[in-house]
Amino acid sequence: MTLLHITSAFDGGNIIVHDAKDPSNIRLAIRPDNNSDFFQWFYYRVTGAKGQPLKMVLENAKDAAFTGGWENYRACASYDRETWFRVETTSYVNGQLIIEHTPEIDSVYYAYFAPYPMDRHADVVAEAALQEGVSLRVLGQTVQGQDLDCLSVGTGEKTIWIIARQHPGETMAEWWMEGFLSRILDTEDDVAMALREKATFHIVPNMCPDGGRNGNLRTNETGANLNREWGVATIQSAPEVYHTIKAMDEAKPDLCLDVHGDESLPYNFIAGAEGIPGYTQKQADNLAAFLSAYETGSPEFQTKHGYPVTAPGKANLTMCTNYTAHAYDCLAMTLEMPFKDNANSPNAEFGWSPDRSADLGAAVLDAMMAVVEEL
Ligand SMILES: [Zn+2]
């Protein structure tokens, strides 16, 4: 008889096993991010449970970073780590998250969202760097010594920066990047070719590779939340942001898009920089035009649901969007995608997914095209 076994000792893994003797009452906990109290990301493998109904209790779910993230949430599962489907998840009973599933084969993975492995990042970056007109440079090294990859493409006057995964557990952001990259590098796409003539793109597909590899939700190796480090990062605490700002100072953004996932809201939406001191009419007009064009270009994007708009002058300038809008007087935005699903067009089998994230990433070109001349 094969013994049931659970591990997270791999790239992006995160789980603490308290007791896995009884398949109908497996006791687990999510490990906090490095040097941090944040946690929510989980990713683990179960072996030796083929045909057995599993009841997996994540005991510390009530203390997770965003407990609203568990409401109407269903965990992701995969046999082949390519197709991630949703499984029955009882949210927040007595502060616990309970995942119930009967694996059909001997090896099954469970995760908060479809993971985005470092190997895949390396493959995508290498493939992009092979394309004509694309250059790759390393902005610097992370605390663990990983390279911070930046791809550049285009020859135009306008400068567009796109960064993703400042919060490493928001893997949909790098799935989005794959869709964006495949379209901007498509030499048969008229919009892509026009944009490459009008703008120069600088693309950082993964801002926090250490956190991604560690299985963190929100922080880098030192425990820094990168999206609270803009303008204050040191090379020791948050080299990822420190090096990116240095590169931006040399190629100042006319547009900066920072791609994220939101634990709670079941929608795709954008937050702007309305709260910065000196927010201009031009910034407001460009934001409105961008939002309207994104909504037209993708049925998955909407503008009705999102974060409340920050009052004038009250913006937190340590966040990428506010910092870049303020420092470079540009159109800066934060894109948020759901961990759960898009409530406007729910998909019972997959929820919000890598494929849907990639489609949304491809569609952003139409929104950029609508504003590029005005930046
Ligand atoms: Zn985020």
Side-chain angles (χ1 to χ4, degrees):
M1 186 188 135
T2 322
L3 281 179
L4 188 146
H5 179 70
I6 299 176
T7 183
S8 64
F10 47 76
D11 176 11
N14 182 326
I15 207 68
I16 296 165
V17 181
H18 287 317
D19 187 348
K21 284 193 281 296
D22 178 0
S24 68
N25 186 23
I26 295 169
R27 313 301 293 186
L28 305 171
I30 306 174
R31 175 182 52 70
D33 292 2
N34 296 65
N35 299 303
S36 165
D37 296 328
F38 288 124
F39 64 85
Q40 191 124 9
W41 173 263
F42 58 88
Y43 178 23
Y44 58 92
R45 180 194 198 198
V46 179
T47 48
K50 182 179 176 179
Q52 286 189 61
L54 300 179
K55 184 175 171 187
M56 298 167 281
V57 181
L58 275 62
E59 293 180 331
N60 60 349
K62 69 175 179 349
D63 298 318
F66 302 95
T67 51
W70 303 133
E71 287 165 28
N72 300 314
Y73 167 76
R74 288 180 307 143
C76 299
S78 179
Y79 298 117
D80 59 5
R81 300 197 303 148
E82 280 288 326
T83 303
W84 290 86
F85 53 92
R86 302 281 175 156
V87 295
E88 189 181 335
T89 306
T90 316
S91 49
Y92 216 48
V93 176
N94 304 324
Q96 301 168 334
L97 191 78
I98 299 168
I99 302 170
E100 290 181 86
H101 183 232
T102 304
E104 291 167 17
I105 64 168
D106 289 324
S107 166
V108 57
Y109 290 83
Y110 299 96
Y112 184 34
F113 193 81
Y116 197 98
M118 286 311 299
D119 263 358
R120 190 171 183 118
H121 167 87
D123 288 345
V124 165
V125 166
E127 196 190 323
L130 281 167
Q131 315 272 319
E132 180 129 7
V134 177
S135 63
L136 167 71
R137 74 190 146 137
V138 172
L139 300 182
Q141 275 73 43
T142 65
V143 176
Q144 291 180 356
Q146 296 195 79
D147 285 340
L148 198 60
D149 291 326
C150 178
L151 293 160
S152 297
V153 65
T155 52
E157 262 175 54
K158 306 291 183 182
T159 301
I160 297 181
W161 279 85
I162 311 175
I163 68 170
R165 282 186 88 185
Q166 286 203 83
H167 294 143
E170 295 164 9
T171 53
M172 61 287 286
E174 199 162 4
W175 292 110
W176 182 100
M177 271 293 191
E178 262 195 35
F180 169 77
L181 280 168
S182 73
R183 189 170 176 206
I184 194 68
L185 300 181
D186 181 352
T187 50
E188 292 180 358
D189 186 298
D190 291 342
V191 175
M193 292 313 285
L195 274 173
R196 286 170 61 164
E197 277 173 24
K198 292 172 192 297
T200 303
F201 290 82
H202 302 289
I203 303 150
V204 185
N206 185 350
M207 282 288 289
C208 195
D210 292 356
R213 190 158 75 178
N214 290 351
N216 290 358
L217 175 75
R218 220 165 153 75
T219 71
N220 73 354
E221 175 73 12
T222 65
N225 172 355
L226 297 185
N227 206 24
R228 299 294 183 275
E229 289 287 334
W230 290 72
V232 295
T234 66
I235 200 164
Q236 287 81 22
S237 69
E240 303 87 350
V241 172
Y242 178 89
H243 292 303
T244 303
I245 289 177
K246 282 197 92 165
M248 283 184 176
D249 285 343
E250 279 161 28
K252 296 187 170 57
D254 297 301
L255 186 158
C256 181
L257 182 61
D258 179 20
V259 186
H260 287 252
D262 184 88
E263 288 76 4
S264 302
L265 287 173
Y267 299 101
N268 293 295
F269 60 96
I270 271 176
E274 293 93 335
I276 63 166
Y279 189 64
T280 65
Q281 190 60 46
K282 180 181 164 184
Q283 287 172 316
D285 291 345
N286 280 337
L287 176 63
F290 187 96
L291 294 178
S292 157
Y294 209 177
E295 203 165 22
T296 306
S298 170
E300 301 272 23
F301 186 79
Q302 59 81 54
T303 55
K304 197 173 160 203
H305 305 274
Y307 300 144
V309 173
T310 309
K314 300 283 184 214
N316 180 344
L317 294 175
T318 66
M319 297 169 74
C320 173
T321 287
N322 295 327
Y323 176 87
T324 54
H326 187 243
Y328 308 115
D329 187 23
C330 67
L331 171 61
M333 298 168 285
T334 310
L335 172 66
E336 299 281 354
M337 286 172 279
F339 277 87
K340 298 170 181 174
D341 204 343
N342 175 1
N344 288 336
S345 56
N347 181 311
E349 194 174 0
F350 299 112
W352 188 250
S353 68
D355 284 350
R356 295 171 82 184
S357 305
D359 287 349
L360 191 66
V364 83
L365 267 69
D366 299 305
M368 289 177 173
M369 194 65 195
V371 300
V372 67
E373 304 275 9
E374 311 302 323
L375 294 173

